[in-house]
Amino acid sequence: MAGAVQAGLKSGSLDMKAVTSILNAAAKAGVSDPVMGSMVSMAAGAFPGNAPAIASAAVRSYGTHVTEARVRNVVASTVAVQPNPYASVSPICEAVTKALGNSIVANTVPAIAVSVAAQTPDNPLQGVTAQPTQTLVKPGEETSGGALVLPGGMSVGGTPTSPSPVSDPAGN
């Protein structure tokens, strides 16, 4: 199957209909997840503007055999070959969520999006943490590492991808 994608790309005869039919045939044939990921990468690299459609076609091709691991593989494979991987995560995951409809797997897409975005090479939050070294900040005092400071001088901990809760469990 990957050979068909490669040959179609070289000849210029590969279009979205052909990509969809190849992905459907591959899923029906039971290709391994790495092979499906490779095919999705080739197609998404050839058609970067259609990456969300390619990802959703790949997910739909699994039919009732779609799993969280397969969705993660498709999303990661699609994002990896985009010119701006970090910015492409959201539209790709939105298309995949729509393709999944009301399935249980659709509920896992936000977590997959966060995980894939964190691993993109152009992630603007890579290596950034905002762990406070103190709990109260005096007026005019510098805060450590860009920590968020609430009115009254209370600094909020956590990281940009996993902020600390602002309220306690009672909601205060």
Side-chain angles (χ1 to χ4, degrees):
M1 294 291 174
V5 172
Q6 197 75 356
L9 288 173
K10 286 182 181 177
S11 69
S13 64
L14 195 62
D15 62 2
M16 281 304 297
K17 284 186 178 184
V19 168
T20 301
S21 64
I22 289 171
L23 293 173
N24 286 337
K28 286 179 185 172
V31 298
S32 68
D33 288 346
V35 170
M36 183 63 104
S38 177
M39 291 171 44
V40 168
S41 289
M42 283 188 263
F47 301 104
N50 292 336
I54 292 167
S56 68
V59 168
R60 273 192 307 262
S61 71
Y62 284 118
T64 59
H65 301 289
V66 69
T67 63
E68 180 182 352
R70 287 180 167 168
V71 171
R72 183 179 305 277
N73 180 47
V74 167
V75 169
S77 298
T78 307
V79 167
V81 294
Q82 296 306 298
N84 299 308
Y86 185 80
S88 70
V89 172
S90 180
I92 289 169
C93 287
E94 183 178 324
V96 166
T97 302
K98 286 180 183 177
L100 291 169
N102 292 328
S103 75
I104 295 172
V105 179
N107 296 330
T108 66
V109 175
I112 291 169
V114 169
S115 169
V116 170
Q119 296 175 7
T120 58
D122 62 340
N123 179 354
L125 303 176
Q126 215 167 31
V128 176
T129 60
Q131 295 294 331
T133 56
Q134 55 195 19
T135 56
L136 291 178
V137 180
K138 296 179 181 112
E141 185 179 6
E142 291 291 321
T143 60
S144 64
L148 175 64
V149 179
L150 296 174
M154 180 67 76
S155 99
V156 178
T159 66
T161 57
S162 178
S164 296
V166 175
S167 62
D168 63 20
N172 298 321

